[in-house]
Amino acid sequence: MLQAFTNAITVSNHQKIDIFDPDTGTGYQRAAVTSRVRKAATYYDEKRGRMPNPLLVNVREQDMNEERVVVLVDDDQTGYENAVLEGGNWIGTGRIEFTDDLELWIYDGQHRVGGLNQLLDGQEGYEGFPVPISLTLGLDQGQEMREFYEVNTNAVPVKTDLAWQLLTKMAEDDPELREMLAAEDKDWVTRAYAVVDELEKLDGPWRGRFQEANRRKTRGDGVTIPKPQFARSLKPVLDMPSFKRADAATIAVVINAYWIGIKQVMPEPFEEGQEDYVLQKGSGAVALHRVLPQVVEVVRSNGGRLGQPEGYAEVMKELPTLEGESVDNDGQLTTRSGADFWRVGSVASGFSGDAGRRRLSLLIQSRLPSPAETIQL
């Protein structure tokens, strides 16, 4: 494998991508996604983006002969040839020359190549765009397929918690990034993180409950939910028209009051070891934040203030009446309600995944008064 650079027009003229054909079973790559190709083109053109990661490219075994491919080493030709023969390492400089009809098989980076193709088709000036490549020489199709598999199964993306935290940090100092996130309706991520940061400062049920990036959870540390999961659960709240332009501190006060109100009507999950209940884990946070917009409307129509827990406690007073069946330690089907409904391994734990949490939120909604019932004309 040689690390190299070439230009966009060379890649475009010689590219070949082995797309999987379900009818014949040949090929191995996914079909290109048009939106990703367009996004790559926009990144290189409008945002003047660079290509820091190399394309993974192979010259296949059947094309590796001196008539079609020549590696010209500036010096230490013997060292290069010995490394090839022995499977060793070599550092040096040189260039590769190949015939006009040689095929360069792209086994990672097809969307980036597609973006360059789009620019070359419609605009001038991109022929010389510098493209880094990692070039393997002489793999057959099977070996190439294995490289594709290894890259796509072993490469681990940045975890969401760290990625979102980095995005928030970058947006603080980059007005263009903030504008781009707003235009793509993704600014809620940075807003959610700002709300979480403000929520941690308040005296309430969520202080000390968030797991930070790169910090392991340990038994008894009081942490109940990863910060990005809680931030994601806030999207329905942040999408409320009245909160679109509200500052993070104000929204945090509302959320804190809401959860204090919940604690007033059902204190056990907040006092007996929060880790033993799912109320402050993913299922509880997601479901209860999905119903918060409705709760806010009822509180308002009752004349309550959004920063006062009592209004939420009144609206949520039927929350302890939720009930369902779960299997106990003896294998018996038992009806659970109140705080027991929310115990780990009990009824609420069964509402897993997005569909389950949606059902749980609907179940909670069934215990809430409708905003229409409290409208005063």
Side-chain angles (χ1 to χ4, degrees):
M1 174 176 279
L2 301 177
Q3 304 303 313
F5 271 91
T6 187
N7 53 41
I9 192 66
T10 299
V11 172
S12 182
N13 288 342
H14 292 266
Q15 65 172 342
K16 193 77 173 177
I17 299 171
D18 206 350
I19 303 295
F20 174 73
D21 184 340
D23 294 327
T24 63
T26 59
Y28 60 87
Q29 289 226 41
R30 295 157 291 193
V33 179
T34 303
S35 60
R36 291 184 62 188
V37 169
R38 191 184 308 116
K39 188 173 183 179
T42 300
Y43 174 73
Y44 297 135
D45 182 31
E46 298 178 10
K47 300 177 183 177
R48 311 305 297 171
R50 304 174 181 87
M51 189 187 290
N53 295 330
L55 304 176
L56 302 189
V57 181
N58 181 44
V59 176
R60 285 189 174 172
E61 183 180 34
Q62 66 266 25
D63 295 326
M64 280 301 299
N65 59 70
E66 293 183 358
E67 296 178 358
R68 306 196 69 192
V69 181
V70 179
V71 179
L72 300 170
V73 176
D74 290 338
D75 50 44
D76 192 19
Q77 181 75 29
T78 301
Y80 167 75
E81 291 175 355
N82 286 339
V84 172
L85 289 172
E86 299 171 5
N89 301 314
W90 170 83
I91 295 177
T93 60
R95 68 186 187 276
I96 301 170
E97 296 180 351
F98 43 80
T99 57
D100 291 340
D101 62 345
L102 185 79
E103 294 173 332
L104 297 177
W105 293 87
I106 313 291
Y107 59 91
D108 186 73
Q110 65 162 311
H111 292 100
R112 285 173 280 160
V113 172
L116 293 178
N117 290 338
Q118 193 173 102
L119 294 176
L120 290 167
D121 287 342
Q123 302 183 44
E124 296 181 357
Y126 280 93
E127 291 84 356
F129 187 95
V131 180
I133 61 174
S134 288
L135 179 67
T136 50
L137 300 175
L139 301 182
D140 61 29
Q141 186 197 31
Q143 293 169 317
E144 184 183 290
M145 188 185 306
R146 178 167 182 172
E147 290 293 324
F148 170 82
Y149 172 80
E150 295 290 350
V151 167
N152 284 277
T153 55
N154 290 334
V156 180
V158 177
K159 290 182 68 175
T160 302
D161 57 354
L162 183 56
W164 280 15
Q165 204 146 345
L166 292 174
L167 181 66
T168 303
K169 184 170 180 146
M170 289 187 295
E172 289 175 358
D173 304 316
D174 190 339
E176 289 187 6
L177 177 58
R178 291 198 298 271
E179 186 177 329
M180 181 197 75
L181 291 172
E184 297 180 357
D185 195 29
K186 293 180 180 177
D187 59 327
W188 69 268
V189 175
T190 56
R191 292 173 59 221
Y193 256 80
V195 170
V196 175
D197 288 340
E198 293 295 331
L199 193 57
E200 286 182 302
K201 300 175 186 176
L202 300 176
D203 185 16
W206 287 105
R207 177 176 283 182
R209 300 289 172 248
F210 301 119
Q211 183 178 358
E212 298 282 354
N214 289 341
R215 183 172 296 166
R216 292 183 178 275
K217 177 172 172 29
T218 58
R219 182 69 181 174
D221 62 5
V223 168
T224 61
I225 188 171
K227 184 178 281 190
Q229 189 174 26
F230 186 88
R232 191 182 297 113
S233 77
L234 293 178
K235 191 173 189 304
V237 182
L238 298 176
D239 284 342
M240 293 174 62
S242 54
F243 288 164
K244 279 286 188 181
R245 296 190 177 275
D247 62 84
T250 299
I251 299 173
V253 168
V254 172
I255 293 170
N256 195 52
Y258 174 54
W259 281 90
I260 292 175
I262 293 172
K263 181 179 179 181
Q264 289 178 359
V265 300
M266 193 169 59
E268 296 90 347
F270 299 90
E271 298 174 350
E272 296 180 0
Q274 291 85 347
E275 295 178 349
D276 297 327
Y277 294 85
V278 301
L279 194 68
Q280 287 188 273
K281 297 181 186 287
S283 297
V286 170
L288 284 161
H289 287 152
R290 276 181 173 159
V291 304
L292 180 53
Q294 179 178 333
V295 175
V296 165
E297 289 302 311
V298 177
V299 171
R300 277 177 165 162
S301 60
N302 284 340
R305 298 175 65 87
L306 298 187
Q308 300 298 320
E310 292 72 23
Y312 298 105
E314 175 62 26
V315 178
M316 302 295 290
K317 63 184 179 183
E318 296 298 320
L319 184 64
T321 66
L322 287 178
E323 64 178 22
E325 293 183 331
S326 67
V327 178
D328 61 21
N329 293 333
D330 297 324
Q332 300 297 315
L333 204 59
T334 306
T335 300
R336 307 280 187 179
S337 63
D340 283 343
F341 179 93
W342 296 95
R343 282 189 182 276
V344 171
S346 186
V347 184
S349 293
F351 294 91
S352 59
D354 189 64
R357 290 163 183 169
R358 190 178 301 277
R359 292 199 308 273
L360 181 57
S361 66
L362 291 173
L363 191 60
I364 296 170
Q365 277 183 324
S366 70
R367 297 297 198 275
L368 302 179
S370 167
E373 297 172 2
T374 56
I375 291 177
Q376 297 182 18
L377 300 176

